[in-house]
Amino acid sequence: MARRRIVVKEPPSRLAIWARRCALLSLAATVLLILFVRAGWIETGPSLGAMSGVLALAGLAILLALAALAVIWRDGVPGVAASLVAIFIGCGLLAY
């Protein structure tokens, strides 16, 4: 009788997942903020304060992604794609 081999997949790095979540949240908040300002629902002054918070969240996403890449390199856990997505989104928002 043949034995069954069970392959257990390791979960991705939690830092990488949180970095991607922060980056996507900052992207969504930026898009909504731009739409609200263009529609005239929010004035320019408060929107600048909200935008600084969104950019701080994008910077946090980049820092989390870099920490996740260090953990992934050291421990060999999956999650490189989530980290790179967070870095690209965060850098794109900061460049904007």
Side-chain angles (χ1 to χ4, degrees):
M1 176 183 245
R3 290 188 180 207
R4 287 177 122 179
R5 292 189 178 178
I6 299 174
V7 178
V8 179
K9 286 187 175 182
E10 283 189 62
S13 170
R14 295 186 73 158
L15 278 174
I17 292 171
W18 278 104
R20 183 179 59 195
R21 286 177 183 169
C22 287
L24 290 175
L25 178 65
S26 63
L27 178 66
T30 301
V31 169
L32 286 176
L33 190 60
I34 290 172
L35 290 176
F36 288 168
V37 169
R38 295 286 183 186
W41 295 342
I42 299 177
E43 294 179 11
T44 307
S47 67
L48 290 176
M51 190 65 179
S52 66
V54 168
L55 292 178
L57 187 62
L60 175 69
I62 292 172
L63 291 177
L64 285 175
L66 291 174
L69 285 175
V71 169
I72 289 167
W73 180 269
R74 186 185 66 217
D75 296 339
V77 294
V80 174
S83 296
L84 291 179
V85 165
I87 289 173
F88 288 137
I89 290 174
C91 287
L93 287 176
L94 289 176
Y96 173 72

